DNA sequence: GGCTCACTATATCGATCGGTACAAAACCTC
DNA sequence: GAGGTTTTGTACCGATCGATATAGTGAGCC
């Protein structure tokens, strides 16, 4: 019962994603958002809560629709293949002309004012979780003998994450897909030879 | 003639640097700045112009007082030593507990609203200049035979920059000095063996 | 001492920020 | 249709944004 919504909740969320992606969390104003989403301010609050909750919903959608390649990458049989697919897939997302350049999480969470500190913490936590997931994959590689015992999986996970984050900043600055793929190729050269043998 | 200033221009600039470094360009409000600088709003405008000009002055000071190690690093006799000193020195600055974590330029320039777009462009240009300077150092390495002819100095410069930028994001997220040094160590492993021989 | 000049402080500017109160409009059930 | 419920559009809230007008204050010069 009651009056039905005149807009598609998921479609509007997608429009909000575009705005947050381009301008970051604090850089995106409610006017920017409502304009892009094609809805009015009260509709936004009634449907998504407030700006912060909307951003969290956008984040979830972003991860499951643009970062979904991560799970497949980690499922690759070798650590080298996994890391390569991780970095190349990330490079593709960061420079896809269909979307704003760079990474939503990095664009929104590097620095902020007082208002965005909780969002910043949330993004730090999500990145930390990603690194942990990668480390666990590399733990497995170490157990399989793919990573020599003198190598620390945590160090390698941190290194791969750092390269990815750096690619994200470079993408925001205008780097294109080919450039980031070359970055990934050079980054892969650091892997121990026992990794590249497979 | 006239009434003398009651504050030290350079000291106040240093306080402004701290605020911008911590909160980014847009995240730092004029109230944050004047409070930290210990001066009133009209004094700020009379002395530094406006927020944007103040930030540019802060940027210049930042580069010459915290990024001054770059010139020394590039002057190292070998490319490997240069890159190592570049990354290690950068890691030290990013995690120096005397200052806010991360890089002023990265914290301020990844994403922004409408107001900060000219600042963003400026920061992109400065990073581009840094990468160009590094590439020219690697051109020399290639000419010296230190870098094999099949290796592209531009690719290596881009890779090193990406690693540095990634370390900056990780530092903003709480990574410490030792962690970033290990990232740098792994990044250095990618270098061709002809580089590491020296 | 008077004068000039640069700096300081208060108070405020219009614009925009995130967030809502209110009432008209559109749908359902009965 | 009538009543109840939800969404919509408008208009607005207090707070804060960057930026100033204006008046008062303190120093050097004649």
């Amino acid at each position: 019962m009651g009056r039905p919504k005149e807009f598609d909740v998921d479609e509007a969320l997608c429009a909000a994603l575009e705005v947050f992606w381009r301008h970051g969390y604090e850089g995106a104003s409610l006017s920017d958002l409502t304009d892009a989403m094609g809805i009015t301010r009260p509709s936004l609050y009634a449907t998504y809560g407030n700006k912060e909750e909307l951003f969290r919903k956008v984040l979830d959608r972003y991860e499951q629709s643009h970062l979904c390649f991560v799970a497949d990458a980690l499922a690759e049989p070798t650590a080298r293949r996994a890391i390569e697919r991780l970095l190349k897939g990330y490079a593709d997302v960061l420079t896809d002309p269909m979307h704003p350049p760079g990474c939503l999480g990095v664009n929104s969470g590097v620095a902020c004012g007082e208002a965005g500190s909780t969002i910043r913490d949330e993004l730090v936590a999500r990145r930390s979780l990603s690194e942990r997931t990668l480390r666990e994959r590399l733990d497995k590689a170490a157990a399989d003998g793919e990573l020599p015992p003198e190598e620390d999986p945590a160090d390698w996970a941190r290194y791969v994450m750092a390269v990815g984050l750096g690619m994200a900043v470079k993408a925001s600055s205008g780097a294109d897909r080919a450039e980031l793929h070359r970055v990934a190729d050079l980054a892969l050269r650091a892997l121990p030879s026992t990794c590249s043998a497979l």
Side-chain angles (χ1 to χ4, degrees), chain A:
Chain A
M1 51 180 106
R3 179 174 174 177
K5 280 192 198 303
E6 292 183 0
F7 65 96
D8 185 273
V9 174
D10 213 56
E11 196 173 323
L13 198 68
C14 196
L17 167 57
E18 162 95 15
V19 175
F20 278 127
W21 200 336
R22 187 173 303 280
H23 297 111
Y25 174 67
E26 288 191 302
S29 73
L30 280 183
S31 297
D32 293 334
L33 291 166
T34 52
D35 286 352
M37 298 166 83
I39 66 177
T40 62
R41 216 168 280 227
S43 294
L44 189 153
Y45 277 83
T47 307
Y48 307 98
N50 57 19
K51 188 185 181 182
E52 186 172 326
E53 289 184 42
L54 170 62
F55 183 74
R56 270 178 230 275
K57 291 176 171 55
V58 162
L59 256 188
D60 289 334
R61 189 195 170 76
Y62 173 70
E63 287 187 352
Q64 74 187 34
S65 64
H66 293 91
L67 263 39
C68 54
F69 71 91
V70 171
D72 295 334
L74 293 178
E76 286 281 345
T78 71
R80 160 172 282 269
R81 290 272 301 273
I83 293 174
E84 174 167 13
R85 196 161 158 189
L86 217 47
L87 290 178
K88 297 284 180 72
Y90 197 43
D92 290 344
V93 171
L94 295 173
T95 58
D96 185 346
M98 294 287 294
H99 311 113
C103 171
L104 169 64
V106 175
N107 291 356
S108 298
V110 177
C112 56
E114 202 70 23
S117 60
T118 81
I119 289 297
R120 211 192 77 101
D121 294 342
E122 162 101 26
L123 292 170
V124 168
R126 295 205 185 204
R127 281 199 294 271
S128 177
L129 179 63
S130 295
E131 184 171 319
R132 180 201 177 111
T133 305
L134 175 57
R135 181 183 59 74
E136 288 169 354
R137 173 64 185 84
L138 297 182
D139 283 339
K140 178 173 161 296
D144 293 349
E146 193 184 356
L147 201 63
E150 67 269 20
E151 303 288 347
D152 185 348
D155 284 346
W156 284 103
R158 191 183 308 111
Y159 166 70
V160 172
M161 285 292 293
V163 171
L165 294 172
M167 292 197 311
V169 175
K170 281 203 73 68
S172 291
S173 306
D176 62 29
R177 182 174 178 276
E179 289 173 333
L180 294 191
H181 272 247
R182 287 202 287 276
V183 168
D185 284 330
L186 293 187
L188 285 166
R189 288 216 218 163
L191 294 182
S193 55
T194 53
C195 271
S196 48
L198 299 183

